[in-house]
Amino acid sequence: MLTGAEIDELLSSFDQAFPSRLRAYAMVRCLIDLGLRSSEVVKLQLDDINWADGTIKLVGTKSRRADALPLPFETGAAIAAYLHEERPATSNRAIFVRHVAPTTSRSRRRASAARQSK
């Protein structure tokens, strides 16, 4: 477990500019503020947030049931900032989407293997 000082230091590290900064910050807020597991954070969908009620729904958790948790202001603000300022346009309903495609693709692996066999 992190101490309060360590949490403060972690959260302040997102003040620096780097790619996907708002995404990373919002994900860490979900981990810290809601106590979610990383697998639960990556499964969050846009429809899981009820902005009017200030709640977030967790589906398919370890307990295998749907739970609604209060959405802390700081966490909601971090997610909203990511959605409005950094999330790429996509039809994917996941809250947190990749900003850069994976660097290893089948075609690249094949090309690399072909070069190595020469």
Side-chain angles (χ1 to χ4, degrees), residues 30-71:
C30 288
L31 295 168
I32 292 171
D33 298 338
L34 298 170
L36 299 182
R37 296 171 181 85
S38 58
S39 61
E40 293 169 332
V41 173
V42 298
K43 289 179 186 176
L44 290 174
Q45 300 289 306
L46 294 170
D47 300 325
D48 292 338
I49 297 180
N50 184 326
W51 296 103
D53 290 344
T55 59
I56 189 163
K57 180 176 56 173
L58 301 177
V59 181
T61 62
K62 191 174 180 180
S63 65
R64 301 190 196 290
R65 65 173 191 240
D67 295 316
L69 299 175
L71 182 62

Side-chain angles (χ1 to χ4, degrees), residues 1-53:
M1 294 226 357
L2 299 175
T3 66
E6 290 169 330
I7 290 172
D8 291 342
E9 186 177 340
L10 172 62
L11 293 174
S12 68
S13 70
F14 293 98
D15 293 342
Q16 307 166 41
F18 62 89
S20 305
R21 177 182 67 84
L22 295 176
R23 177 181 180 260
Y25 181 73
M27 292 176 92
V28 168
R29 293 277 359 176
C30 288
L31 295 168
I32 292 171
D33 298 338
L34 298 170
L36 299 182
R37 296 171 181 85
S38 58
S39 61
E40 293 169 332
V41 173
V42 298
K43 289 179 186 176
L44 290 174
Q45 300 289 306
L46 294 170
D47 300 325
D48 292 338
I49 297 180
N50 184 326
W51 296 103
D53 290 344

